[in-house]
Amino acid sequence: NAGVTQTPKFRVLKTGQSMTLLCAQDMNHEYMYWYRQDPGMGLRLIHYSVGEGTTAKGEVPDGYNVSRLKKQNFLLGLESAAPSQTSVYFCASSPGRGRPGTQYFGPGTRLLVL
Amino acid sequence: AQSVSQHNHHVILSEAASLELGCNYSYGGTVNLFWYVQYPGQHLQLLLKYFSGDPLVKGIKGFEAEFIKSKFSFNLRKPSVQWSDTAEYFCAVMGYSSASKIIFGSGTRLSIRP
């Protein structure tokens, strides 16, 4: 099993450009999450999904959109990138009910917005 | 709303010293508590978790944490640290009714002098 994978690993964008980050998991997990990690602020939840076709807002959802069309994939979109979105983005998945909170993290995507 | 405080931003210890990292949370109901670790250049991994039962929880690599409900605390301890414990440590809380949303603390960077 590959676990949780993220594409791309690193990206540089110009202000106003758009992009999509892809997260894929092969563990048949129900729940998936997108976080951003910034120095001194830990991980902050952007959006999450408790099942295929469902999404919900986390702590810092503004400027991001997500989709979960397939159970194994969770996409994070930036429609118009801003320098404040420079960060490291982590995707995570968890089995869901019965084992809440045991999240498995991907390797991260480093995004730089100029 | 849930929140997590980690008061130690950077801790420096010598090998074989004892470790205690503080974590306090704010939530009005039943909680699940976690410690995650991020080794340099790697993604987050679960160190230990508390769901219910014995408030003293043992995790991997000799770490343990104690849930003290009256103090809203979940401090991480290790009797004797090693150089390989150099990492960033994150405390996290999930409210029992929060649909698996986990809120992370800002992290504590642990540096071990060989």
Side-chain angles (χ1 to χ4, degrees):
Chain A
N1 285 358
V4 180
T5 57
Q6 293 182 231
T7 310
K9 289 185 170 54
F10 177 68
R11 184 77 182 268
V12 179
L13 288 179
K14 293 181 180 178
T15 297
Q17 286 185 314
S18 64
M19 78 164 294
T20 300
L21 282 66
L22 171 64
C23 175
Q25 52 94 5
D26 61 2
M27 297 173 282
N28 201 34
H29 284 172
E30 289 293 329
Y31 296 177
M32 296 186 75
Y33 311 81
W34 274 108
Y35 294 90
R36 58 178 290 173
Q37 184 180 27
D38 302 292
M41 302 188 76
L43 277 82
R44 291 181 291 169
L45 183 64
I46 304 172
H47 287 280
Y48 65 103
S49 167
V50 297
E52 183 179 320
T54 71
T55 63
K57 294 180 180 180
E59 299 173 83
V60 289
D62 294 342
Y64 305 94
N65 56 73
V66 288
S67 64
R68 181 103 181 266
L69 299 179
K70 293 183 179 179
K71 186 177 183 179
Q72 63 268 33
N73 296 337
F74 195 31
L75 279 63
L76 178 71
L78 285 74
E79 290 185 349
S80 179
S84 61
Q85 294 177 304
T86 293
S87 187
V88 181
Y89 292 85
F90 286 98
C91 176
S93 70
S94 72
R97 295 191 185 281
R99 287 179 61 192
T102 306
Q103 297 193 354
Y104 298 81
F105 283 82
T109 295
R110 194 171 293 273
L111 176 65
L112 174 61
V113 182
L114 301 175
Chain B
Q2 302 163 219
S3 66
V4 180
S5 296
Q6 292 181 247
H7 304 295
N8 309 110
H9 298 295
H10 189 194
V11 173
I12 303 173
L13 295 173
S14 298
E15 276 196 312
S18 65
L19 169 72
E20 181 159 3
L21 300 182
C23 173
N24 289 91
Y25 69 91
S26 171
Y27 186 72
T30 304
V31 293
N32 298 317
L33 296 157
F34 312 87
W35 277 97
Y36 281 83
V37 60
Q38 186 177 29
Y39 296 104
Q42 296 187 26
H43 53 85
L44 276 81
Q45 304 169 44
L46 182 67
L47 203 52
L48 49 80
K49 61 188 176 187
Y50 171 81
F51 285 174
S52 63
D54 189 344
L56 185 61
V57 180
K58 295 194 185 299
I60 59 172
K61 304 187 180 185
F63 285 92
E64 64 179 32
E66 185 175 12
F67 171 48
I68 303 180
K69 190 175 180 180
S70 60
K71 294 184 178 180
F72 297 91
S73 70
F74 190 55
N75 292 355
L76 181 71
R77 300 194 292 247
K78 186 171 183 178
S80 176
V81 295
Q82 302 171 301
W83 180 80
S84 58
D85 293 325
T86 295
E88 189 148 18
Y89 293 81
F90 295 92
C91 182
V93 62
M94 184 179 75
Y96 201 70
S97 59
S98 66
S100 280
K101 274 197 304 182
I102 293 184
I103 303 300
F104 285 81
S106 57
T108 297
R109 186 156 63 100
L110 176 63
S111 300
I112 305 298
R113 290 189 291 250

